[in-house]
Amino acid sequence: MNNLLDPAILFFLFGAFAGLVKSNLEIPAPISRFLSLYLLMALGLKGGFALAASGFTLEVVRSLGAAVTLAVLVPLLGYLVLRRWLSGLDAAAVAATYGSVSAVTFITAVQTMDHQGLPYGGHMAAAMALMESPAIVLAVVMANTLRQRAAGGLALGGGTAALTAPGSAAVGLPLGKVLHESFTDGAQLLLLGAMVVGFVTGDTGQAAMQPFTGDLFKGMLAFFLLDMGLLAARNLPKVKGQSPWLVAYGVVGPLVHAGLALGLAWAAGIAAGDAALLMVLAASASYIAVPAVLRHAIPEANPSLYFGLSLGVTFPLNILFGIPLYIGVAHAVLG
């Protein structure tokens, strides 16, 4: 309940209300983009400052290794489950969306832990960056495999044998181009670059940037979550008419993914604070980076499925209820 009384969360609820009543309240796209870049830059700097203070330890290596493992495991398991209700390409797209991460969900979780005085490692910002791209790569590989099977006339079942029109060439971007777009994405580069700056400048940089990374952060996050509330409410109708099992995946899937992260954290001996953020990352779903790439890489997939489900269902559930749940469970289990 304390999480719901946080000003940033209340602004998210207010934005959702404004969207549901079809208000003309709107955050201009350039301002929304600026807020997103600001939050990533501030998060990267804060992570770099913390990493400079702690150094590269075995704890850092274990956390980053667990993050990469989850980034591969979650989309593969998701594809196997989603394939029961969706065509191959749609399943690959949704699995990629849930296999990647939401930076705003992670930033909100970091702010929540800061507010509660709970410790965590600054290197978890690097874990977030590492978890963004593997799911995209796996989705493209799966899509290319499905197209090749369809072109060869193999029966894939579930209506996926004919993925392209008769006589047409398979569409989609080459894997090399997708890899380039994934690893040179501007937001991801800004996050990593800010981490490097924070790590190099250390305490001196932290003192100089305090007004930027500290004083402004909460207000900027609240403003951005207002915009996210508007977007979530306006994308919720896209979920209507979808299979109840698919909607259930948008609710239950993140909980299962968070459980996998908790088990992996326990096995690797990861501290409770880092485990909590690992659970948040595993439970989140991308609604910016992955959908942008999938529109070009897997154009046959239905955007209302992966975008509507992640932003209309999973994002608000994580922001309102998931974050305090994951933090509480991680500290209850790992101490």
Side-chain angles (χ1 to χ4, degrees):
M1 181 60 67
N2 288 337
N3 184 61
L4 295 179
L5 297 180
D6 184 282
I9 303 301
L10 289 175
F11 269 107
F12 173 81
L13 289 172
F14 172 68
F17 169 77
L20 289 173
V21 299
K22 295 179 170 50
S23 167
N24 63 355
L25 176 62
E26 185 178 1
I27 308 300
I31 293 179
S32 179
R33 176 64 174 167
F34 164 75
L35 291 171
S36 175
L37 293 176
Y38 163 80
L39 291 172
L40 287 171
M41 183 175 176
L43 177 66
L45 284 169
K46 291 168 72 171
F49 296 146
L51 194 56
S54 66
F56 287 96
T57 63
L58 183 59
E59 175 76 9
V60 173
V61 175
R62 287 200 296 257
S63 297
L64 296 182
V68 174
T69 301
L70 285 168
V72 175
L73 187 62
V74 169
L76 289 177
L77 292 177
Y79 177 78
L80 293 176
V81 173
L82 291 163
R83 200 56 190 82
R84 298 172 178 268
W85 313 302
L86 299 175
S87 68
L89 294 177
D90 280 334
V94 176
T97 303
Y98 279 81
S100 189
V101 296
S102 162
V104 178
T105 306
F106 178 79
I107 291 169
T108 306
V110 166
Q111 180 62 37
T112 300
M113 294 184 69
D114 284 340
H115 181 71
Q116 296 178 8
L118 299 174
Y120 59 90
H123 60 276
M124 293 306 295
M128 182 187 75
L130 288 174
M131 291 180 71
E132 187 169 44
S133 297
I136 300 174
V137 175
L138 286 172
V140 172
V141 170
M142 286 187 285
N144 287 342
T145 301
L146 289 168
R147 293 187 188 107
Q148 290 170 5
R149 288 180 179 177
L154 297 178
L156 300 180
T160 61
L163 298 175
T164 58
S168 65
V171 294
L173 295 179
L175 181 58
K177 184 171 179 59
V178 172
L179 286 171
H180 179 268
E181 289 190 4
S182 300
F183 291 110
T184 61
D185 175 70
Q188 185 163 318
L189 278 181
L190 177 61
L191 174 68
L192 294 175
M195 281 196 69
V196 171
V197 171
F199 179 75
V200 171
T201 57
D203 291 339
T204 303
Q206 185 172 15
M209 298 297 290
Q210 170 57 29
F212 182 82
T213 60
D215 298 338
L216 290 175
F217 190 85
K218 185 73 173 182
M220 291 290 200
L221 177 60
F223 200 3
F224 191 65
L225 284 179
L226 169 64
D227 187 34
M228 289 296 98
L230 289 166
L231 287 175
R234 289 166 181 169
N235 278 276
L236 189 58
K238 294 182 179 180
V239 182
K240 293 181 179 179
Q242 303 298 340
S243 166
W245 292 107
L246 183 61
V247 177
Y249 178 84
V251 176
V252 179
L255 298 175
V256 175
H257 302 159
L260 290 174
L262 179 63
L264 196 57
W266 175 81
I270 296 172
D274 293 352
L277 291 179
L278 198 64
M279 292 173 70
V280 170
L281 287 169
S284 67
S286 175
Y287 55 85
I288 297 177
V290 173
V293 175
L294 291 181
R295 285 180 181 273
H296 301 288
I298 314 180
E300 306 97 324
N302 182 1
S304 66
L305 289 176
Y306 54 82
F307 188 73
L309 197 63
S310 64
L311 187 54
V313 176
T314 302
F315 178 74
L317 287 178
N318 275 332
I319 291 293
L320 298 176
F321 308 109
I323 289 174
L325 173 64
Y326 308 141
I327 293 174
V329 170
H331 285 83
V333 173
L334 301 176

